[in-house]
Amino acid sequence: MKPKVYIDGKEGTTGLQIYDRLAARKDIELLLIEEAKRKDPEERKKLLNAAGLVFLCLPDAAAVEAVNLIENGHTRVIDCSTAHRTAEGWTYGFPELSGQREAVKAAARVANPGCYATGFLSLVRPLVEKGALSPKARLTCHALSGYTGAGKKAVAQYTDPDRAEELASPRHYAVTLSHKHLPEMAAVAGLDRPPLFTPMICNYPQGMVVTVPLWAEELEGAQSVESLRALYADYYAGSPIVTLRPADAPSCGFIGANNLAGTDSLQIFVNGNREQLMLSARLDNLGKGASGAAVQNMNLMLGFEETAGLNL
């Protein structure tokens, strides 16, 4: 029998993207809630318990509530909210990190990573894990993203023909230096403290670049552009999703933020000189940063080909 899958909250940005990816698949049975009962707790509870796998595309509090509505031992969950990313008993859904692919396959509860966290962890976790970066390191992380990463309200603001003029330019936010992705960025990277994180929202729909600048002297051992490239090449060897860009990229001196829009890939760049290094990850905030990662995790959990339904 085909596994039954239910998306709780498919009206949001991530939920809609997951629905669009799954609606045409023939290897699952997609359970749908009647529009009139979309907010009916009893109807949601019935579907949550009827499904073999559930995506939660909800605000944090609603995601916690939804998990509590599951009363059986067989429904598996992929939570796309922030609620469970560092919670005990939940598996962090980044299969490319060491040990995580098998953990995701066996997990009953998977927390889908945040988009910024995905870029940051793809750069920092391998360095800490391989001993090239101390867990005590004080890191800075700069990032920019298209406006879809900020949710439906931001999409409405940016696509409004009468929008404010300032929305035409990049805008810093989280200026109090607090952001909902910081706990997972530190915990999953193996750092003693989160980075100093400065994100920006920009006037284009999808795509992001996350950058971690480093002084070579702050790394463990004699590290260079070449040695870090070798480290990443080995760490992500064979991955169809996470790839290292060639040594001469970007050839024109620019890293575009929306080049991977509409895809589920993640690209890593290592640039710099003998003293300073610039590590960058490029991805689609709605692809590998959200719905693409969720579908990848579903594929692993249900025994499908890992990249089924992904755009690479």
Side-chain angles (χ1 to χ4, degrees):
M1 293 179 64
K2 297 178 183 178
K4 296 180 180 181
V5 177
Y6 174 55
I7 306 168
D8 195 9
K10 79 175 185 65
E11 296 74 23
T13 306
T14 300
L16 281 171
Q17 289 250 335
I18 293 173
Y19 172 77
D20 289 343
R21 292 163 179 270
L22 299 186
R25 286 185 60 159
K26 306 300 183 184
D27 50 1
I28 63 170
E29 179 184 345
L30 193 57
L31 304 181
L32 299 175
I33 193 168
E34 295 179 35
E35 181 61 28
K37 297 182 178 180
R38 187 164 60 88
K39 296 186 178 181
D40 183 336
E42 288 305 313
E43 187 66 14
R44 287 177 56 226
K45 182 177 180 178
K46 182 174 75 173
L47 290 168
L48 286 166
N49 284 278
L53 185 140
V54 169
F55 293 96
L56 302 181
C57 303
L58 304 164
D60 287 7
V64 172
E65 177 188 42
V67 172
N68 290 330
L69 292 176
I70 298 173
E71 297 177 337
N72 64 72
H74 69 264
T75 297
R76 303 168 80 183
V77 177
I78 299 174
D79 183 8
C80 296
S81 80
T82 312
H84 298 105
R85 290 177 184 163
T86 59
E88 185 176 352
W90 287 74
T91 296
Y92 195 74
F94 197 153
E96 289 78 14
L97 302 181
S98 294
Q100 291 305 106
R101 181 170 282 103
E102 294 306 313
V104 169
K105 287 181 180 180
R109 301 287 184 265
V110 170
N112 215 50
C115 54
Y116 287 123
T118 296
F120 178 80
L121 292 169
S122 72
L123 300 170
V124 175
R125 167 72 176 262
L127 301 185
V128 176
E129 193 175 312
K130 298 298 182 181
L133 181 68
S134 169
K136 299 181 183 299
R138 297 191 177 196
L139 299 182
T140 297
C141 178
H142 306 294
L144 53 88
S145 174
Y147 55 73
T148 52
K152 293 177 71 173
K153 183 178 180 181
V155 171
Q157 289 178 327
Y158 274 88
T159 56
D160 185 342
D162 298 319
R163 68 184 186 186
E165 184 177 350
E166 72 170 64
L167 270 65
S169 66
R171 295 188 298 160
H172 278 287
Y173 70 105
V175 295
T176 60
L177 300 181
S178 61
H179 190 281
K180 64 181 182 178
H181 292 176
L182 286 172
E184 63 186 289
M185 290 164 78
V188 180
L191 296 171
D192 291 350
R193 72 191 84 199
L196 193 160
F197 181 45
T198 58
M200 288 191 291
I201 184 171
C202 302
N203 181 30
Y204 63 92
Q206 292 174 232
M208 68 193 319
V209 172
V210 180
T211 295
V212 178
L214 290 167
W215 289 93
E217 65 187 24
E218 295 177 337
L219 293 166
E220 302 294 316
Q223 302 294 343
S224 64
V225 170
E226 292 75 22
S227 70
L228 294 190
R229 286 186 56 79
L231 187 153
Y232 288 123
D234 178 67
Y235 194 90
Y236 294 114
S239 172
I241 295 173
V242 180
T243 57
L244 179 67
R245 293 292 291 146
D248 60 353
S251 58
C252 59
F254 295 92
I255 300 176
N258 65 348
N259 297 55
L260 294 183
T263 79
D264 300 307
S265 302
L266 186 151
Q267 297 174 336
I268 289 177
F269 298 78
V270 181
N271 294 290
N273 51 54
R274 292 179 63 183
E275 295 183 347
Q276 299 171 323
L277 300 159
M278 189 176 92
L279 313 177
S280 301
R282 177 164 67 189
L283 63 153
D284 182 348
N285 54 285
L286 295 183
K288 181 58 172 170
S291 58
V295 172
Q296 178 188 2
N297 286 322
M298 181 203 77
N299 288 336
L300 290 169
M301 294 169 75
L302 296 181
F304 299 135
E305 174 66 32
E306 183 174 350
T307 58
L310 300 186
N311 180 12
L312 303 175

